Amino acid sequence: MGRSIAVGIGGACGWQALAWATEEAERTGDRLVLLHVCAPGSPLDKAAEIPTPAEVELFDPPLARAYTTTQTRLGGQRVALRIRSGEPAARLVDASTGVRLLVIGAGVGGRTVRRVLRHAHCPVVAVRPETRSPHGSPLTGHVVIGVDGTAAGRTAMEFAFHHAATHRLPLAAVRVSEASRDDYFSDDVTLSTHFAVEPAALELLAAETEPWALKCPTVPVRRAVLHGRVVDCLVRAGLGARLLVVGDKRRGAVGRARTGDVPLTVATEAPCPVAVVPLDQREADPL
């Protein structure tokens, strides 16, 4: 079997995470591993690590329906259900070993999301109910990537271009600049020239996107310089986006809770799915 995607079922936004992961697996052909974390000593915990469909139906009918529906959509050989007991964040981190992608729900709260983002061994996609703007957004329908000129940002850029190419979506590269007076958007067809834009921001966007634009010539690229705070601008850029991608250069860092956590804040506040890609993350070996 080829590559795998793991998805956490249950908890806040767990069903939305399953829907996103199923669509991703359907498009990429990846195997999908459904992970359900139950309370220690619960009936499912006592049943088996890999329970029979009858046991799942007996103890958790909604989980059984989700499992069978996903099997019907993707094919039985491409879907596996794993039952684990214990602390959800720890089990999700365990599930991130050996998979290409981990998908989790990012509902109200954030403690579990924080621990998973800090310790997962692969890129993590955090899914919340999407918010749509009644007036639309310049980046609606795009894969949006935050550009900061760091090594982590370049790793995230690679992820974003591959996702855009696989899903045949346009990509928007966003640079946040407090020096700019307003928002600025440009692509190969149109160019906004009536805003005062920081030249260094434009140069950085061009330098960071050009190598991947050449490797993925079918991906339309839009560039944007947004004015304001980094977190606020990235959350705003996610309005209507298909996926917002950010790099994480401090995954596993002990002091990040004290110094601020842009990936966590974006993952729990953005109005679209958010992919958090750790520095120098390489595709994991298949299960």
Side-chain angles (χ1 to χ4, degrees):
M1 187 67 67
R3 306 173 304 176
S4 298
I5 298 169
V7 55
I9 303 179
C13 301
W15 300 120
Q16 287 93 337
L18 175 60
W20 192 95
T22 301
E23 181 178 349
E24 178 72 8
E26 187 173 45
R27 173 58 69 98
T28 62
D30 290 349
R31 181 173 179 252
L32 187 60
V33 180
L34 282 56
L35 175 69
H36 178 72
V37 181
C38 61
S42 67
L44 271 180
D45 182 28
K46 295 177 180 178
E49 182 176 291
I50 306 177
T52 66
E55 288 174 317
V56 179
E57 178 66 37
L58 176 63
F59 299 126
D60 195 333
L63 177 61
R65 288 193 295 271
Y67 181 35
T68 56
T69 299
T70 307
Q71 284 186 311
T72 299
R73 182 171 174 178
L74 300 181
Q77 297 301 313
R78 288 180 52 202
V79 182
L81 175 64
R82 299 288 183 265
I83 304 295
R84 301 288 188 272
S85 66
E87 203 279 320
R91 300 288 80 79
L92 288 167
V93 170
D94 292 343
S96 71
T97 300
V99 299
R100 179 179 72 86
L101 199 63
L102 173 65
V103 185
I104 62 174
V108 178
R111 181 179 177 182
T112 296
V113 178
R114 178 184 291 109
R115 290 191 61 189
V116 172
L117 292 183
R118 186 178 299 175
H119 299 292
H121 305 292
C122 67
V124 177
V125 174
V127 182
R128 301 174 65 243
E130 295 187 41
T131 302
R132 300 189 182 278
S133 169
H135 307 294
S137 164
L139 305 183
T140 294
H142 288 68
V143 174
V144 177
I145 169 69
V147 179
D148 61 5
T150 66
R154 285 187 283 275
T155 301
M157 181 75 72
E158 178 180 357
F159 180 99
F161 263 97
H162 282 160
H163 187 87
T166 298
H167 292 267
R168 299 182 179 179
L169 295 171
L171 180 140
V174 172
R175 172 65 173 170
V176 178
S177 171
E178 294 186 358
S180 299
R181 300 175 187 174
D182 211 327
D183 296 342
Y184 165 97
F185 303 90
S186 70
D187 54 38
D188 293 335
V189 179
T190 61
L191 180 66
S192 299
T193 59
H194 56 285
F195 297 138
V197 184
E198 180 189 11
L202 298 178
E203 293 172 4
L204 179 64
L205 283 173
E208 295 294 318
T209 57
E210 184 177 7
W212 284 104
L214 294 174
K215 293 179 182 179
C216 303
T218 61
V219 176
V221 178
R222 195 169 205 189
R223 298 169 183 84
V225 179
L226 303 184
H227 171 68
R229 294 176 59 248
V230 171
V231 168
D232 295 340
C233 288
L234 289 176
V235 169
R236 178 157 55 90
L239 189 62
R242 292 289 296 275
L243 183 68
L244 173 59
V245 184
V246 293
D248 186 358
K249 61 185 176 182
R250 295 183 297 169
R251 181 167 294 184
V254 175
R256 68 185 301 168
R258 300 189 186 93
T259 60
D261 193 335
V262 170
L264 172 66
T265 305
V266 172
T268 55
E269 294 185 7
C272 68
V274 176
V276 180
V277 184
L279 175 63
D280 290 335
Q281 178 63 51
R282 291 295 177 257
E283 201 167 271
D285 294 332
L287 286 178

